[in-house]
Amino acid sequence: MMKRLLHIFSLGLALISSCLAEQKGEFMEQTVIIFKPDAMQQGRVGAILQRFEEMHFHISGIKMVQLSEAILREHYAHLADKPFFGDIVEFMSSAPVVIMVLEGENVIEEVREMTGETDSRLAEKGTIRGDFGKDKGQNMIHASDSVVGARAEVLRFFEPAELFPLRHNLAD
Ligand code: IDP
Ligand code: MG
């Protein structure tokens, strides 16, 4: 219990300090992308990554991992009361995934636009989910949906040593 409280407290502190750093212009906006098991199995990682590179977003971290049920329960905590919660956790832990941090001006919103609706069947053609996804569960990628959400996700999935951010100084 005490350990969990300390963990939440340190996460909060890190969140506040990194948001302040961003406000001061020391960091560019970041977002977290997870190439879900369907993207991995259908060989879509390259095609999707190419879209991000064509937007000139900077890759500040990228790795392949097998996500644990514990980290997925935390990541999808906002859906814990939904009947499909167990299915997402099971699907996302069914195979290793590629996870990355992308950086760029307005990257969170732009990537969400490129990603399309949660339900791939409703996502517009030209979006990642519209072009490659199957349905609501198998929708190719996760992408952060807000600055605060992205910060928490960067801290959740990456160690500082795994990140190579483009520091930008407004005075340069
Ligand atoms: P998002 O990925 O578009 O941000 P969220 O509402 O945050 O959507 O949901 C997270 C993930 O949970 C979705 O990407 C999808 O894989 C899964 N999910 C959401 N709603 C449903 C549903 O109604 N059925 C099955 N899976 C769902
Ligand atoms: Mg979401």
Side-chain angles (χ1 to χ4, degrees):
M1 179 66 186
M2 198 59 199
K3 211 169 143 203
R4 177 136 190 89
L5 276 178
L6 268 178
H7 175 71
I8 291 169
F9 182 68
S10 60
L11 204 70
L13 271 186
L15 207 66
I16 292 166
S17 66
S18 52
C19 284
L20 286 175
E22 184 167 305
Q23 266 182 5
K24 282 195 290 176
E26 288 169 13
F27 291 100
M28 189 64 93
E29 189 173 289
Q30 295 180 324
T31 194
V32 172
I33 310 295
I34 305 174
F35 294 87
K36 296 187 178 185
D38 51 330
M40 303 292 293
Q41 275 151 20
Q42 292 164 38
R44 296 299 195 184
V45 175
I48 297 170
L49 185 52
Q50 187 173 9
R51 293 186 181 200
F52 296 138
E53 288 193 317
E54 280 165 1
M55 292 294 289
H56 301 290
F57 294 131
H58 169 74
I59 300 172
S60 20
I62 186 162
K63 62 182 176 180
M64 187 160 165
V65 283
Q66 171 77 55
L67 295 175
S68 67
E69 279 194 29
I71 207 166
L72 287 164
R73 284 180 182 280
E74 187 181 299
H75 180 60
Y76 287 120
H78 61 295
L79 301 172
D81 59 345
K82 303 280 190 225
F84 53 85
F85 181 62
D87 293 341
I88 315 174
V89 172
E90 192 183 328
F91 172 58
M92 293 296 289
S93 58
S94 67
V97 297
V98 167
I99 180 163
M100 88 184 166
V101 176
L102 276 185
E103 227 176 70
E105 223 166 278
N106 208 25
V107 68
I108 297 171
E109 195 181 322
E110 290 194 20
V111 166
R112 289 290 296 196
E113 272 174 27
M114 292 169 74
T115 301
E117 295 274 316
T118 304
D119 188 339
S120 308
R121 294 164 295 199
L122 305 177
E124 280 178 44
K125 284 286 158 221
T127 64
I128 292 161
R129 288 169 172 170
D131 291 346
F132 304 131
K134 184 176 158 223
D135 50 29
K136 255 187 174 175
Q138 299 196 28
N139 58 7
M140 291 285 147
I141 63 165
H142 161 80
S144 313
D145 65 3
S146 65
V147 171
V148 170
R151 280 288 171 222
E153 290 172 10
V154 169
L155 295 168
R156 176 173 305 135
F157 292 113
F158 287 86
E159 299 291 336
E162 294 174 322
L163 293 171
F164 305 89
L166 252 188
R167 277 163 218 283
H168 75 130
N169 182 336
L170 296 180
D172 281 349

